[in-house]
Amino acid sequence: MPTFEGLPGAVAVSHLRVYDWPTADGLRGGTPHLHLTCSEGYVVVGGTGSVQTLTASGFRQTPLAPGALVWFTPGTVHRLVNEDGLRIVVLMENGGLPEAGDAVLTLPPDHLVDPDAYRAAVTLPADGPEADQERAARARRDLAVEGFLALCRATEAGDPEPLAAFHRAAAALVRPRAEDWRGRWRRGAAAAAEVTGEQLDAVARGDGGHLADARVYAEQPAAYGKFGMCGRLDVYRGRPAA
């Protein structure tokens, strides 16, 4: 019987130290964005702050402190705010999809109509001095905060169209990736669920043969301190779908 070798449920895990760079509205923190197909969860392990979220239901700010568990579904625009050394263990649904681009930043509308313009605004230098990577990460964060604040103002004023237009633009930007994502999902979360189904069938027959195939896996981070959307990331390979 096959065994799924990825992290439980095919989630992705990373450790995040949220940016403490100040923004135009006086807050410090990360880059507002949404995910198209993946829910996201936070387990706060240090420091304090909050997560600002924007959905069609409106704006919300949820406090974050050690022990807090917060999660949200696809389409939730979210922005992490760092008040004092905020550190989070991030859990992402569908490991492999977020890494393959399942996120769109809340850039101003003129950056969203052209995939090339969007890519130029959000792509960080692949190598070179860390100062250059930090400069690029801050620039895209500030641009996304600009767009996010405009979406919040419109939504709070009772105008749902700017947020709806952002949703449409986000879907259009990622549409060419859909088939690649489907393959990753089949090899990841779908495969994990299928294996569980087969194990349930075996248990229902009174067959415990699959228990002899048990394995233990352990990893250290595959990379430390990467510039992410919301902060510096320690990431784990987690045997994601290829």
Side-chain angles (χ1 to χ4, degrees):
M1 181 178 299
T3 298
F4 183 74
E5 297 184 347
L7 285 164
V11 301
V13 175
S14 59
H15 177 249
L16 174 67
R17 297 181 297 281
V18 180
Y19 292 135
D20 62 0
W21 307 328
T23 58
D25 61 352
L27 301 177
R28 298 176 296 153
T31 307
H33 62 281
L34 59 67
H35 296 280
L36 278 292
T37 64
C38 299
S39 291
E40 181 171 357
Y42 299 148
V43 181
V44 182
V45 296
T48 58
S50 63
V51 58
Q52 297 182 340
T53 54
L54 182 66
T55 68
S57 299
F59 174 84
R60 176 176 174 179
Q61 183 153 308
T62 303
L64 300 177
L69 173 63
V70 178
W71 69 96
F72 40 87
T73 60
T76 303
V77 180
H78 49 288
R79 175 198 186 188
L80 279 168
V81 175
N82 184 357
E83 295 173 359
D84 182 19
L86 185 59
R87 294 186 296 110
I88 296 171
V89 172
V90 181
L91 308 174
M92 288 298 312
E93 185 181 22
N94 300 317
L97 267 65
E99 297 83 355
D102 176 41
V104 173
L105 279 57
T106 54
L107 303 187
D110 58 326
H111 290 77
L112 302 173
V113 294
D114 177 13
D116 291 335
Y118 177 81
R119 192 177 306 110
V122 303
T123 302
L124 303 185
D127 48 27
E130 182 172 293
D132 291 346
Q133 297 181 42
E134 177 176 331
R135 191 176 303 111
R138 292 186 70 152
R140 74 174 182 182
R141 190 279 310 268
D142 291 345
L143 198 59
V145 167
E146 177 186 336
F148 174 72
L149 294 177
L151 292 175
C152 289
R153 287 192 295 268
T155 302
E156 292 297 283
D159 182 3
E161 176 53 27
L163 181 58
F166 174 66
H167 290 165
R168 293 192 296 270
L173 282 171
V174 304
R175 182 180 181 184
R177 304 183 181 211
E179 286 310 305
D180 171 66
W181 290 358
R182 189 180 301 277
R184 291 172 183 269
W185 166 74
R186 286 187 177 127
R187 295 187 295 273
E194 182 66 27
V195 167
T196 300
E198 294 180 16
Q199 292 169 347
L200 288 170
D201 291 342
V203 170
R205 298 191 302 268
D207 177 4
H210 64 285
L211 303 178
D213 296 326
R215 301 286 187 274
V216 177
Y217 302 97
E219 291 187 5
Q220 293 296 314
Y224 292 89
K226 290 182 61 176
F227 285 98
M229 287 181 287
C230 296
R232 302 297 295 265
L233 286 166
D234 299 338
V235 297
Y236 298 83
R237 187 169 61 88
R239 298 177 182 269

